Amino acid sequence: MTSEVVIDVQQKEISIALLEDKKLVEYQSEPREVSFSVGNVYMAKVKKLMPGLNACFVDVGFERDAFLHYLDLGSQFDSYAKYLKQVQSDRKKLYPFAKASRLPDLKKDGSVQTTLTSGQEVLVQIVKEPISTKGPRLTCELSFAGRYLILIPFNDKVSVSSKIKSGEERARLKQLIHSIKPKNCGVIVRTVAEGKRVAELDAELKTLTKYWEEAIEKVQKTQKRPQLVFEETSRAVALLRDLFNPTYENIYVNDEDVFKEVRHYVSMIAPDKVDIVKLYSGKVPIFDNFNITKQIKSSFGKAVNYKHGAYLIIEHTEALHVVDVNSGNRTRSEKGQEANALEVNLGAADELARQLRLRDMGGIIVVDFIDMNLAEDRQMLYERMCKNMQKDRARHNILPLSKFGLMQITRQRVRPAMDVSVDETCPTCFGKGKIKSSILFTDQLEGKIDRLVNKIGVKKFYLHVHPYVAAFINQGVFSLKRRWQLKYGFGLHIVSSQKLAFLQYEFYDAKKQFIDMKEEIETK
């Protein structure tokens, strides 16, 4: 199996797609200005105590206050609180972390009322992003994740991933980390650290220690609250950190700055793989070039087709996700209804495992498979689902089919499920029921080109349009494109873009920066 990562960097958002054998299996897209993500550390203030929940609400600068439960304060909360007071007592000289004293563990059966006070400053880390009506979920047990190691301040333990089975290797890693780890810090050794040399692990440990030291320096020097003191790495790098494996053949990026960032990161974690990071400079949009746009439009939405006419119906409610399996208009198997049901259900299990990763669906997922009478068929379906989910990095649990033919799955949820709208709204009337004559669309485009060239003075630019419109503009020996080029200059380039609806258009300058040419009447 070959894997490729394609990163599409736009002015307002960044999208990342993971392909396995050219098939889209993971997709993430978020606005570039989003400042909240899992892993960010804030110096924040307790806003309101909730004794009934044994929790509190904390102001981290978001529109909804974040939630912090007493059990998420961590066993070393008192040690953190004392050290923070020592750090903030002297704004000029930083109190050394190596000299920080570790206090007794916080009692597990304690109360938030006796531990915290309203207005108290606490150092917190986001563990779950805001979802629906809920604010972020916080913890006071800070951790700084790297490729091979996770650094945990005020913890003295060294733990090794249970997926490393060799007793000899586990002992080697434990002994090695004990010899290089800083005082007052604990370390978790990740699975990918197996077989790594001391130099690689030591270099990453120093980098993670530096993150912690820089966070504490910000706490010392700034009095503004809430204050972001550590920001998780960019989405592109964070995804690579968790996903990167030697099977990657290519990582394509269409932005030079992000390309340098990704290349630098890969050069640190896998120097021999640095050449797989490639800067994409083609004229066709990067997702169109790798057939990702088409896969996104066919994979998201309420109904998902997967095999010989069979399809899934995926509904999202506040409490859970519901999936219905339908055989559709597929040809019935000659072996009978039971064989047909098994074949449809096995195909559904394959597609559903992909959909869970693709949409990042979390919480409770209930799947209504087609009824099967034979116990061995139901067991085969359960085993197929378990096998498919082995590739999933999120923690999950799968129950066998119930007597009603329902399968229940729980999957870790740390950010909202991806909900990509695949319905196209009419770009002219925005769903109001009336559109201008589509035959006049090219005349409208020519008016925009005339204004861009003769009034604004942009001589070289790219016009992105729907593939059907692009075909119309390019058709014939003396095409419309050629006539426009003779009239307005050969700096005009027509680009076919699958992401645009039928009568949508976008202008980009020579540096591929978006040019807003929409008039007020078009944006109302």
Side-chain angles (χ1 to χ4, degrees):
M1 182 183 69
T2 58
S3 301
E4 292 180 312
V5 175
V6 182
I7 303 171
D8 181 20
V9 183
Q10 297 295 332
Q11 200 164 346
K12 293 184 178 179
E13 66 177 11
I14 181 168
S15 302
I16 303 168
L18 173 62
L19 305 176
E20 290 180 356
D21 293 331
K22 304 295 181 184
K23 194 172 184 180
L24 182 66
V25 292
E26 288 199 26
Y27 174 69
Q28 291 187 23
S29 179
E30 59 185 50
R32 297 185 75 176
E33 67 270 14
V34 168
S35 58
F36 283 82
S37 73
V38 172
N40 284 4
V41 178
Y42 291 84
M43 192 66 185
K45 277 190 177 182
V46 175
K47 198 167 183 182
K48 188 179 181 183
L49 298 177
M50 302 292 288
L53 297 173
N54 202 17
C56 65
F57 287 104
V58 179
D59 177 17
V60 289
F62 195 58
E63 58 182 332
R64 294 191 196 92
D65 289 333
F67 183 79
L68 176 64
H69 193 273
Y70 175 81
L71 293 177
D72 291 323
L73 291 175
S75 59
Q76 290 299 316
F77 178 76
D78 290 336
S79 304
Y80 270 111
K82 182 180 178 181
Y83 181 59
L84 288 175
K85 284 181 183 177
Q86 292 170 327
V87 165
Q88 294 179 92
S89 64
D90 189 346
R91 297 285 177 188
K92 293 182 180 179
K93 188 179 179 182
L94 183 67
Y95 189 85
F97 180 61
K99 291 184 179 180
S101 54
R102 291 185 62 202
L103 300 178
D105 288 0
L106 197 69
K107 293 179 181 177
K108 289 186 178 180
D109 57 351
S111 165
V112 72
Q113 281 179 297
T114 57
T115 310
L116 296 173
T117 56
S118 186
Q120 181 177 342
E121 293 186 355
V122 287
L123 197 60
V124 293
Q125 186 170 36
I126 294 182
V127 290
K128 188 182 282 189
E129 286 186 8
I131 296 173
S132 186
T133 57
K134 303 182 182 79
R137 180 78 182 256
L138 304 177
T139 181
C140 288
E141 285 190 289
L142 307 188
S143 61
F144 298 84
R147 169 101 176 119
Y148 306 120
L149 308 170
I150 298 173
L151 181 75
I152 305 173
F154 283 115
N155 186 326
D156 235 8
K157 293 181 182 176
V158 174
S159 306
V160 180
S161 167
S162 58
K163 291 182 181 178
I164 298 177
K165 302 298 182 186
S166 168
E168 189 179 331
E169 177 64 6
R170 292 174 68 85
R172 181 188 78 91
L173 288 168
K174 265 195 175 183
Q175 186 179 1
L176 191 154
I177 297 300
H178 269 298
S179 66
I180 61 174
K181 79 176 184 68
K183 190 181 176 185
N184 279 338
C185 284
V187 175
I188 296 174
V189 183
R190 304 182 77 171
T191 310
V192 288
E194 188 172 7
K196 297 299 174 187
R197 293 176 290 115
V198 63
E200 293 175 270
L201 301 179
D202 186 44
E204 182 167 272
L205 193 57
K206 284 177 179 173
T207 302
L208 298 177
T209 306
K210 187 181 175 186
Y211 289 158
W212 165 238
E213 289 171 351
E214 287 174 351
I216 288 301
E217 283 176 14
K218 282 189 181 178
V219 171
Q220 180 208 18
K221 292 176 182 176
T222 58
Q223 293 180 308
K224 176 189 169 188
R225 301 290 182 260
Q227 167 75 30
L228 175 65
V229 296
F230 168 74
E231 188 167 14
E232 182 58 284
T233 51
S234 70
R235 286 303 312 137
V237 172
L239 186 78
L240 284 176
R241 184 190 66 203
D242 296 333
L243 282 181
F244 190 86
N245 65 63
T247 65
Y248 280 3
E249 288 197 344
N250 298 294
I251 300 172
Y252 295 100
V253 191
N254 66 343
D255 180 87
E256 196 164 349
D257 292 336
V258 177
F259 164 74
K260 289 176 181 174
E261 195 178 306
V262 171
R263 188 178 171 87
H264 172 68
Y265 180 72
V266 174
S267 69
M268 290 195 303
I269 63 170
D272 57 319
K273 286 280 183 179
V274 72
D275 291 332
I276 69 171
V277 184
K278 296 169 184 174
L279 180 64
Y280 176 80
S281 55
K283 292 182 180 178
V284 178
I286 189 168
F287 272 14
D288 290 6
N289 185 68
F290 292 99
N291 196 36
I292 295 170
T293 306
K294 195 172 183 181
Q295 291 192 60
I296 289 172
K297 291 197 173 187
S298 64
S299 298
F300 286 90
K302 182 177 174 181
V304 179
N305 296 305
Y306 64 91
K307 203 175 185 180
H308 306 306
Y311 61 94
L312 304 176
I313 298 290
I314 301 175
E315 296 270 15
H316 180 207
T317 71
E318 184 68 26
L320 44 75
H321 294 270
V322 183
V323 182
D324 185 34
V325 179
N326 291 280
S327 59
N329 58 1
R330 75 189 303 279
T331 307
R332 303 298 179 195
S333 171
E334 295 177 1
K335 296 177 183 177
Q337 175 60 28
E338 184 73 14
N340 183 66
L342 177 62
E343 190 178 343
V344 171
N345 284 341
L346 292 178
D350 296 340
E351 180 60 27
L352 180 59
R354 172 176 169 258
Q355 286 290 330
L356 294 180
R357 291 174 66 190
L358 189 58
R359 301 183 187 219
D360 204 9
M361 291 159 62
I364 302 171
I365 300 110
V366 178
V367 192
D368 181 13
F369 285 103
I370 296 172
D371 290 341
M372 295 183 295
N373 297 321
L374 299 178
E376 57 264 33
D377 287 352
R378 293 195 292 270
Q379 181 63 23
M380 188 188 300
L381 175 60
Y382 171 68
E383 290 173 359
R384 179 77 156 258
M385 196 71 213
C386 292
K387 182 182 177 184
N388 290 337
M389 292 290 285
Q390 284 176 357
K391 298 176 186 174
D392 200 330
R393 292 175 297 118
R395 289 198 303 271
H396 59 270
N397 191 22
I398 306 169
L399 296 181
L401 269 74
S402 70
K403 63 180 179 180
F404 298 119
L406 301 177
M407 180 180 285
Q408 298 168 70
I409 302 171
T410 60
R411 187 175 181 273
Q412 180 188 22
R413 178 168 67 174
V414 292
R415 59 175 56 88
M418 282 294 301
D419 185 19
V420 178
S421 176
V422 294
D423 295 329
E424 295 181 354
T425 303
C426 170
T428 309
C429 72
F430 290 94
K432 292 180 182 176
K434 293 180 181 178
I435 66 167
K436 295 178 182 177
S437 177
S438 58
I439 200 69
L440 301 176
F441 182 57
T442 52
D443 295 341
Q444 182 188 358
L445 287 180
E446 186 173 355
K448 305 282 182 187
I449 294 167
D450 180 43
R451 181 164 163 254
L452 193 63
V453 174
N454 297 322
K455 290 189 178 179
I456 302 176
V458 178
K459 301 299 181 185
K460 185 178 180 181
F461 57 93
Y462 298 85
L463 171 57
H464 290 225
V465 289
H466 188 277
Y468 287 2
V469 178
F472 176 78
I473 293 172
N474 287 313
Q475 74 170 345
V477 178
F478 194 57
S479 63
L480 191 57
K481 173 187 171 183
R482 182 63 64 195
R483 293 204 296 272
W484 285 350
Q485 286 179 331
L486 291 172
K487 192 173 180 180
Y488 302 106
F490 285 83
L492 161 65
H493 301 278
I494 304 295
V495 179
S496 167
S497 177
Q498 295 175 14
K499 79 172 183 179
L500 297 179
F502 187 50
L503 297 183
Q504 276 185 304
Y505 62 89
E506 289 179 350
F507 283 91
Y508 292 85
D509 63 18
K511 295 181 180 177
K512 298 189 178 178
Q513 294 294 309
F514 176 70
I515 306 171
D516 189 1
M517 293 297 292
K518 288 203 168 40
E519 297 166 21
E520 188 179 351
I521 194 169
E522 293 178 77
T523 56
K524 280 183 179 178

